[in-house]
Amino acid sequence: EAGVAQSPRYKIIEKRQSVAFWCNPISGHATLYWYQQILGQGPKLLIQFQNNGVVDDSQLPKDRFSAERLKGVDSTLKIQPAKLEDSAVYLCASSLDPGRLFYGYTFGSGTRLTVV
Amino acid sequence: DQQVKQNSPSLSVQEGRISILNCDYTNSMFDYFLWYKKYPAEGPTFLISISSIKDKNEDGRFTVFLNKSAKHLSLHIVPSQPGDSAVYFCAALRGGGSEKLVFGKGTKLTVNP
């Protein structure tokens, strides 16, 4: 099966600019996650979707970050305006349903964002 | 508040020997523990997991041990191969709703030929 697709792979922007990331999960996977991985740290959940509804966005900085999952398939994550501390790898992941978490999520390759 | 801790940033072993990666956690409510492997410029890939009601799970060269009383788990790789060189993340989750994975900071394993 095709994996989780993310684009772009790399992005460099100036602070206060806006940026958007795109994710296409594995076909049929109802649950989609966005994680932020800052250099030297483990990934941290930003938002979890179940189909097109938000399950958990408690760690999403809502003053500058937004995410949507239209039609329960693709998802976009936006940052506006970006800050220097947003420099990180943004990982998208998907899973068939929460009950299969023993088998883990499938992650995409990520988008590396550098804010200068 | 770091709920999952990997206190060794790096580990170096010889090919053919055992690699032991350690992980500690603080939240006794976690239901599952997972190990992910990450190569540079790639996303993490699922390696092996263990339920909180088990104390051991084995898959080929990889074995995960869970000591609930000590809130400690470890990943054993036997025998280690150069292709195992990667960053290994320990992760934990609670079921029942927001099944988010909580990750440690990772341990970089280097297997020398």
Side-chain angles (χ1 to χ4, degrees):
Chain A
E1 65 182 0
V4 176
Q6 289 189 248
S7 66
R9 287 299 307 273
Y10 305 93
K11 190 74 176 179
I12 301 175
I13 62 171
E14 295 183 350
K15 59 184 178 183
R16 292 187 290 273
Q17 285 187 326
S18 62
V19 64
F21 314 125
W22 173 82
C23 173
N24 181 227
I26 292 173
S27 178
H29 280 198
T31 310
L32 184 146
Y33 313 82
W34 282 101
Y35 277 77
Q36 178 193 57
Q37 185 182 8
I38 294 173
L39 186 64
Q41 298 184 19
K44 182 186 81 172
L45 180 71
L46 292 176
I47 189 167
Q48 175 187 346
F49 292 95
Q50 179 74 15
N51 296 307
N52 60 348
V54 175
V55 175
D56 184 349
D57 64 356
S58 57
Q59 297 189 93
L60 186 73
K62 298 180 186 64
D63 57 334
R64 298 183 301 105
F65 286 65
S66 64
E68 61 182 7
R69 190 182 184 196
L70 298 176
K71 300 180 181 178
V73 182
D74 293 6
S75 177
T76 55
L77 176 69
K78 297 179 182 178
I79 307 175
Q80 181 179 7
K83 293 184 175 181
L84 295 177
E85 58 261 36
D86 298 332
S87 294
V89 176
Y90 290 84
L91 294 161
C92 180
S94 68
S95 64
L96 189 57
D97 63 65
R100 290 175 56 84
L101 282 172
F102 184 77
Y103 303 98
Y105 313 154
T106 302
F107 281 89
S109 297
T111 296
R112 179 176 295 278
L113 173 67
T114 303
V115 183
V116 298
Chain B
D1 176 26
Q2 197 177 347
Q3 298 185 66
V4 177
K5 301 177 184 178
Q6 294 177 260
N7 293 319
S8 298
S10 62
L11 174 68
S12 183
V13 300
Q14 286 298 120
E15 181 179 5
R17 307 294 292 267
I18 184 171
S19 296
I20 300 177
L21 296 98
N22 294 302
C23 178
D24 297 294
Y25 61 95
T26 58
N27 189 341
S28 58
M29 301 299 289
F30 286 132
D31 295 309
Y32 297 102
F33 301 91
L34 301 87
W35 286 93
Y36 278 81
K37 180 169 72 172
K38 186 181 184 302
Y39 293 117
E42 294 183 13
T45 56
F46 171 73
L47 190 59
I48 190 170
S49 62
I50 188 167
S51 165
S52 61
I53 63 174
K54 303 287 187 182
D55 56 18
K56 177 182 176 181
N57 188 28
E58 189 172 358
D59 184 2
R61 297 186 297 114
F62 303 92
T63 303
V64 57
F65 296 93
L66 175 62
N67 182 335
K68 286 189 68 175
S69 61
K71 293 190 175 69
H72 176 83
L73 64 154
S74 60
L75 174 68
H76 293 212
I77 306 174
V78 183
S80 301
Q81 300 173 354
D84 296 329
S85 297
V87 176
Y88 289 78
F89 289 101
C90 173
L93 68 86
R94 290 183 61 182
S98 174
E99 283 93 357
K100 69 180 182 183
L101 279 172
V102 179
F103 283 86
K105 291 186 176 182
T107 297
K108 183 177 182 180
L109 173 66
T110 302
V111 180
N112 301 301

